[in-house]
Amino acid sequence: MEQFGDYKQADEFFIGAPLGHIGAPKYALLFGWIGGSFKNVEKYAQYYRNNGFTVYITLSDHKNIALAGEGKESLALFDTLIQELSSHDLVSPKTQPAATIPPPQHTPKVVLHLFSNGGCIKLRHFLHCLDAQDKKLESKAVILDSCPGHASMASGSHFMTVGIKNSVARVVARNGVYASLQVANVINNGCAMVGLPWRDMSKHPIEVSALYAVSEKNPDGNAAGPRLFLYSDEDKLCQAEEVQEWIAVCKAEGIVVEEKMFIGSEHVKHAVVHKEEYWALVNSFLEKS
């Protein structure tokens, strides 16, 4: 591993040691949003490190969507991270022989903190890598910031134009993208009706990956534990109604759910606009988990 500031970097992840309140070992695994830099994602890691957690950070970029959609994700990508987590008993065999020695009463478990659809896509990939090794993650709780959403035309048009700085140009471009997506959707539906090749949007990486964030019944990897959904009324990339649909799926499965819809904050900006409330909610949630 290489030193990266006060972090260690290895392959697809960064490790940050706890900075305070060090007692029983605690661990957090953060899955960043698409295009989120280490600098920006690391700001969230500071809370965990200051509260005695060892933090693992993984970043996401646009190629993750393409690789997931094409089925070309490498099942060896997270080998080093899996080895690291295994050394702390945060990964275990999916199928274990009958125990001859009683398991310890307090086994370490990891907190997952996901950001946006990109974090969900990265989580799915990670869980697939574990499953390929017949292993499972020992997770304690899952926090979902600005996710999951749907592969909808409204969200897609915002996502595809989010990098345009000029507000007028962004609106014009967004409307153009939305119109193009509408035409493509009509053509796609027409192809489906007459038996021509068409794209099933229910199999889009955003849709498929969301299930790994909200469900514990996936055949090829799961994250267990209660969920905390943090979203807002002003998020255009993962809109409140979309997140609430996934919350309903989660609740229907019997998973313990807490949620907070913030007012006025944009996508992955809730901890910036509502800093004190955001971390108070996280802290309270983890104390109960």
Side-chain angles (χ1 to χ4, degrees):
M1 295 187 185
E2 298 179 0
Q3 202 68 29
F4 188 86
D6 65 344
Y7 281 77
K8 292 181 180 179
Q9 181 180 7
D11 298 335
E12 284 290 312
F13 67 99
F14 302 83
I15 305 175
L19 298 175
H21 305 287
I22 300 174
K26 295 184 288 185
Y27 304 91
L29 179 52
L30 279 57
F31 291 89
W33 59 94
I34 291 176
S37 67
F38 172 81
K39 177 182 177 181
N40 288 328
V41 179
E42 195 275 331
K43 292 177 181 178
Y44 293 84
Q46 293 174 16
Y47 161 83
Y48 291 102
R49 297 183 71 191
N50 288 332
N51 284 279
F53 285 77
T54 296
V55 177
Y56 302 92
I57 298 175
T58 68
L59 304 179
S60 303
D61 55 42
H62 292 82
K63 70 179 181 181
N64 297 136
I65 296 181
L67 290 172
E70 296 168 2
K72 294 182 178 179
E73 294 168 313
S74 168
L75 293 178
L77 184 68
F78 290 104
D79 280 0
T80 307
L81 177 57
I82 292 172
Q83 292 172 9
E84 167 67 21
L85 296 176
S86 296
S87 70
H88 298 291
D89 297 322
L90 298 172
V91 167
S92 61
K94 287 185 68 175
T95 54
Q96 296 183 350
T100 56
I101 302 175
Q105 291 185 341
H106 301 287
T107 56
K109 293 190 176 183
V110 65
V111 173
L112 303 182
H113 202 136
L114 316 179
F115 300 92
S116 191
N117 292 323
C120 296
I121 291 172
K122 203 78 171 187
L123 170 67
R124 171 178 172 265
H125 186 184
F126 174 62
L127 293 174
H128 280 182
C129 291
L130 279 171
D131 186 72
Q133 298 184 25
D134 196 33
K135 295 178 179 179
K136 64 179 181 180
L137 183 66
E138 297 293 341
S139 54
K140 175 183 179 180
V142 184
I143 299 168
L144 302 100
D145 183 322
S146 307
C147 65
H150 283 302
S152 63
M153 289 185 287
S155 297
S157 61
H158 280 274
F159 175 74
M160 295 169 70
T161 57
V162 70
I164 301 175
K165 302 300 182 182
N166 183 280
S167 59
V168 175
R170 185 168 61 250
V171 170
V172 172
R174 183 184 304 142
N175 291 338
V177 170
Y178 187 85
S180 298
L181 292 174
Q182 283 184 309
V183 172
N185 187 55
V186 170
I187 295 173
N188 191 52
N189 291 338
C191 290
M193 291 176 63
V194 299
L196 293 174
W198 62 291
R199 186 175 187 185
D200 183 356
M201 291 303 291
S202 68
K203 296 181 180 178
H204 189 283
I206 290 176
E207 300 289 343
V208 175
S209 299
L211 287 170
Y212 291 80
V214 304
S215 174
E216 296 179 10
K217 295 183 177 180
N218 301 292
D220 48 4
N222 290 289
R227 264 64 170 179
L228 172 61
F229 291 85
L230 302 168
Y231 59 103
S232 83
D233 63 335
E234 286 296 322
D235 191 336
K236 304 303 182 184
L237 274 72
C238 289
Q239 300 182 22
E241 296 80 4
E242 298 177 351
V243 177
Q244 289 166 352
E245 288 179 12
W246 288 117
I247 290 174
V249 172
C250 199
K251 289 181 175 179
E253 202 169 288
I255 297 172
V256 175
V257 170
E258 294 186 22
E259 62 176 290
K260 171 65 179 182
M261 183 174 76
F262 293 104
I263 305 300
S265 49
E266 297 180 354
H267 191 64
V268 292
K269 295 291 186 182
H270 319 316
V272 176
V273 179
H274 308 281
K275 182 177 180 180
E276 291 187 4
E277 185 178 10
Y278 183 100
W279 291 114
L281 288 166
V282 170
N283 193 60
S284 174
F285 174 68
L286 293 180
E287 285 181 346
K288 291 179 286 186
S289 300

